[in-house]
Amino acid sequence: MSINRKELEEIATLAQLDIPEQQLGEITASLNQVMAMIEHINEADTAAVKPMGTPHEAQQLIRPDAVTDCSHKKDLLALSAHADEDHYLVPKVIE
Amino acid sequence: MINLSIRALSELLQQKQISIQELCGVYHDRCQSFNVNTNALISICAELSAAELLQAQQQLDAGELLAGVPLVHKDLFCTQGIKTTCGSNMLADFKPPYDATAVTQLAAAGMVNLGKANMDEFAMGSSNEHSAFGVVKNPWDSQRVPGGSSGGSAAAVAARMVPVATGTDTGGSIRQPAAFCGITGIKPSYGRVSRHGMVAFASSLDQAGVLAVSADDCGLVLSQMCGHDPLDSTSLKTSTWQWDKPKDSNMQGLRVGVPHAWIDALQDEGIKNKTTEAIEYFKQQGASIIDIELPHADLAVSAYYVLAPAECSSNLSRFDGVRFGHQTNAAENLEALYRKSRSEGFGEEVKKRIMIGAWALSAGYYDAYYLKAQKVRRLISEDFNKAFESVDVIASPVSPELPFKLGEKADGVSMYEADKFTIPASLAGLPCLSMPIGFTAGLPVGLQLIGRYFDEQNILALADKYQLDHDHHMQIPEAFL
């Protein structure tokens, strides 16, 4: 498996990243090195193997649907670069 | 004083031969002096918190062993009101509004936080060269890396800037820097320590752990960190555990599994000799040495570099420049705000891993790579299950190499492949540690001990018994005496 510059641009779009034109070649080569390494997983016969998503398969814990914490709106909004008293502020979305 | 164990420091405090302020003052001064040489810390608390000191004194008066002992936290543990950067420009000014559970638990025991340790950005790296706050230098040789991603934590303990530090390990990020810096470091079983407030890299692999001088120190601190946390759905209800220090170094009846193929393949004769010597010592003390095979372990690095980037791609999508973290000044619309904030905030290694993950999770590749890697993960886990039918502990090298020179590994893949001995146990979620077993060419060498799931006791006990008869872990680099 390997990718070309056009495919890298598509991946960057999925990842919400900008890649400068002059770095496209270098990053394509770098990702292709990793993909060549990844390819080794195909050496394993996994026809009868179930995927393992996590080391333990404990049941999801359920807790009562009760209010346990008060609002931290002010603290959380204070972390944003642009916010007013009630909202995060972003560039205009609707024309 | 700087080479005393936690038990010895605690005794000094209990007997009032030194006060908490004096003890923490000694280490605070060392943090300030030696950070110039090492760059181990991203931030040093300007002054000791009065509230923390009061809590420490109350715990000391109540007989708590860890009370008054200073530490630093890896800079991905959220600390309320204290910058938590993850080694990234994305979070350069981020001050969390809450503490991570591990931070809360250690503070509750009276441990005193002196600062935040440098790290590879978002824990992605094995050299601590990928930090927006500069490289960390290995205290044993300032031209060499301390390992990563918990490189700052390891260097800080090696230079005795603190007696203990927290760290995290996703594919070897506690064990490899512990080995490179000549200290002891443990990654507990997945589910043992809460991940709440620990900025996520790869959620099915990340675990918090401890870096300290000795196995005993690691056991004492880890006992306090573990336990069920309702705020982390992957923390298990049975995760409470208490370290029980062995009485002597007798290893009679212990079965130590050794993947000899890993040792035979070592290119570095110094590492090979030290590893063989340590295993020979176990045998002399009465342990049975049993050759084991882990047939799918060779595929671990490949599987890891599908799974970890996939999870990182998903986890790091939260950094959109809106709610917290870096926000660009040059966005003409919302899409551009996301893209430019992320492109400006993340470093190159992080962007690379996000893109590998986005690719592995994209339509057409999900089954072929992501699901395939998850299946390989199970094969690796089953290899360990089989090995543990006939052994109690597995001993292996930590790294095939000594600490390498800064800038030496420009090729990312060769750095990835150097984690081939630590990644298999991470994929299986097993407890594992690194302990110092001597020096070659003036640089420290570590041995990895891997235990059964939730059997931290046996690996720490084996390391503790070894350290009763050896003083490699007690060595301090000359510049930091």
Side-chain angles (χ1 to χ4, degrees):
Chain A
M1 177 66 203
S2 65
I3 56 165
N4 57 33
R5 283 178 175 225
K6 186 171 176 300
E7 288 163 324
L8 175 66
E9 287 177 309
E10 288 166 8
I11 293 168
T13 301
L14 287 173
Q16 296 279 16
L17 291 169
D18 285 334
I19 299 180
E21 174 71 27
Q22 66 272 21
Q23 287 183 12
L24 281 172
E26 182 194 335
I27 294 175
T28 303
S30 175
L31 258 59
N32 279 334
Q33 269 191 312
V34 179
M35 288 175 181
M37 183 188 79
I38 286 170
E39 207 63 47
H40 290 298
I41 57 174
N42 290 315
E43 293 166 15
D45 177 3
T46 56
V49 182
K50 281 201 296 189
M52 178 174 165
T54 175
H56 65 63
E57 288 166 12
Q59 284 193 327
Q60 189 71 21
L61 298 171
I62 295 171
R63 57 175 179 255
D65 185 15
V67 176
T68 55
D69 207 356
C70 56
S71 170
H72 295 287
K73 186 169 79 174
K74 195 176 164 194
D75 292 340
L76 297 175
L77 284 171
L79 298 172
S80 174
H82 289 101
D84 65 17
E85 285 184 1
D86 293 305
H87 309 94
Y88 295 111
L89 303 179
V90 297
K92 190 175 174 183
V93 177
I94 302 167
E95 294 300 328
Chain B
M1 179 196 294
I2 57 161
N3 219 14
L4 290 178
S5 67
I6 287 179
R7 290 181 198 270
L9 290 174
S10 180
E11 202 172 320
L12 287 182
L13 290 167
Q14 292 287 357
Q15 293 175 350
K16 301 194 190 315
Q17 291 182 38
I18 189 169
S19 70
I20 292 173
Q21 285 89 338
E22 286 168 334
L23 176 64
C24 293
V26 167
Y27 281 107
H28 193 260
D29 289 349
R30 290 181 67 84
C31 285
Q32 289 185 314
S33 301
F34 294 137
N35 208 37
V36 180
N37 317 45
T38 60
N39 197 32
L41 306 178
I42 289 175
S43 53
I44 301 172
C45 297
E47 53 189 28
L48 301 174
S49 146
E52 238 179 335
L53 289 173
L54 178 63
Q55 168 73 5
Q57 190 60 52
Q58 286 171 346
Q59 289 302 309
L60 182 66
D61 295 342
E64 168 57 57
L65 191 62
L66 298 177
V69 176
L71 86 167
V72 291
H73 291 293
K74 185 176 181 179
D75 208 15
L76 56 58
F77 287 96
C78 284
T79 42
Q80 186 171 8
I82 300 172
K83 275 187 191 176
T84 298
T85 69
C86 284
S88 179
N89 280 326
M90 178 60 84
L91 292 175
D93 299 312
F94 175 57
K95 289 185 178 174
Y98 64 94
D99 280 333
T101 298
V103 171
T104 304
Q105 284 169 308
L106 295 176
M111 296 195 83
V112 181
N113 178 28
L114 299 187
K116 303 297 290 289
N118 206 338
M119 54 182 284
D120 282 301
E121 185 177 3
F122 285 102
M124 296 177 205
S126 307
S127 66
N128 222 130
E129 294 171 296
H130 303 295
S131 166
F133 300 91
V135 300
V136 176
K137 294 172 183 172
N138 190 318
W140 290 99
D141 180 344
S142 61
Q143 302 298 309
R144 293 177 188 271
V145 304
S149 65
S150 307
S153 299
V157 173
R160 303 301 192 267
M161 294 157 72
V162 276
V164 59
T166 56
T168 61
D169 191 316
T170 303
S173 282
I174 287 175
R175 289 159 284 162
Q176 185 251 24
F180 276 17
C181 290
I183 61 164
T184 310
I186 181 164
K187 177 201 92 74
S189 310
Y190 182 83
R192 179 68 93 181
V193 176
S194 169
R195 295 184 298 108
H196 173 69
M198 211 177 91
V199 179
F201 158 20
S203 303
S204 80
L205 295 155
D206 297 341
Q207 255 303 274
V210 186
L211 299 100
V213 174
S214 69
D216 185 41
D217 290 353
C218 284
L220 291 172
V221 177
L222 182 61
S223 300
Q224 181 62 31
M225 289 168 76
C226 64
H228 174 62
D229 179 7
L231 298 174
D232 172 9
S233 62
T234 62
S235 117
L236 292 178
K237 286 203 162 173
T238 51
S239 57
T240 301
W241 166 79
Q242 194 64 46
W243 159 235
D244 181 17
K245 184 175 164 60
K247 303 288 181 285
D248 57 44
S249 61
N250 186 342
M251 298 178 190
Q252 209 71 41
L254 185 75
R255 300 169 301 169
V256 180
V258 177
H260 278 106
W262 291 13
I263 298 172
D264 294 344
L266 286 169
Q267 303 282 311
D268 188 298
E269 287 299 320
I271 297 176
K272 189 185 274 190
N273 290 339
K274 292 294 164 194
T275 306
T276 308
E277 281 172 21
I279 291 165
E280 186 59 31
Y281 170 79
F282 298 155
K283 194 174 171 185
Q284 287 166 9
Q285 294 303 108
S288 311
I289 306 301
I290 298 168
D291 192 15
I292 60 161
E293 288 185 4
L294 299 165
H296 298 95
D298 285 350
L299 303 176
V301 176
S302 301
Y304 177 88
Y305 276 96
V306 176
L307 299 173
E311 295 184 23
C312 124
S313 162
S314 172
N315 274 321
L316 271 58
S317 65
R318 75 192 58 178
F319 297 102
D320 57 8
V322 176
R323 292 159 299 154
F324 59 104
H326 173 74
Q327 185 180 96
T328 185
N329 288 322
E332 61 278 15
N333 56 46
L334 189 57
E335 280 288 310
L337 178 80
Y338 296 153
R339 280 201 326 275
K340 288 184 178 174
S341 297
R342 289 165 62 79
S343 302
E344 292 167 7
F346 291 137
E348 297 309 312
E349 181 65 22
V350 171
K351 287 183 205 171
K352 181 175 164 183
R353 296 201 197 193
I354 290 173
M355 287 190 284
I356 294 166
W359 164 77
L361 292 173
S362 62
Y365 300 110
Y366 182 90
D367 285 359
Y369 290 93
Y370 183 67
L371 270 186
K372 178 80 180 181
Q374 284 192 324
K375 291 177 180 179
V376 171
R377 183 179 191 175
R378 185 172 299 281
L379 291 174
I380 291 165
S381 179
E382 286 172 354
D383 285 351
F384 279 111
N385 291 342
K386 188 166 179 223
F388 280 120
E389 286 173 6
S390 55
V391 303
D392 304 307
V393 173
I394 294 171
S396 84
V398 178
S399 170
E401 330 182 306
L402 293 168
F404 46 90
K405 290 198 167 167
L406 294 163
E408 188 180 326
K409 285 194 184 288
D411 162 19
V413 169
S414 66
M415 199 179 307
Y416 298 170
E417 286 171 343
D419 290 336
K420 63 183 178 181
F421 298 144
T422 52
I423 284 176
S426 296
L427 290 172
L430 301 174
C432 33
L433 63 76
S434 169
M435 66 167 182
I437 52 168
F439 292 79
T440 180
L443 296 167
V445 180
L447 184 80
Q448 177 173 231
L449 300 177
I450 305 169
R452 289 191 183 94
Y453 190 68
F454 262 36
D455 188 9
E456 283 78 3
Q457 176 64 33
N458 246 334
I459 54 171
L460 279 167
L462 182 54
D464 185 70
K465 289 176 180 187
Y466 178 89
Q467 291 177 346
L468 282 175
D469 278 351
H470 299 82
D471 66 357
H472 307 305
H473 61 295
M474 300 296 286
Q475 304 305 310
I476 304 176
E478 205 176 315
F480 301 94
L481 287 170

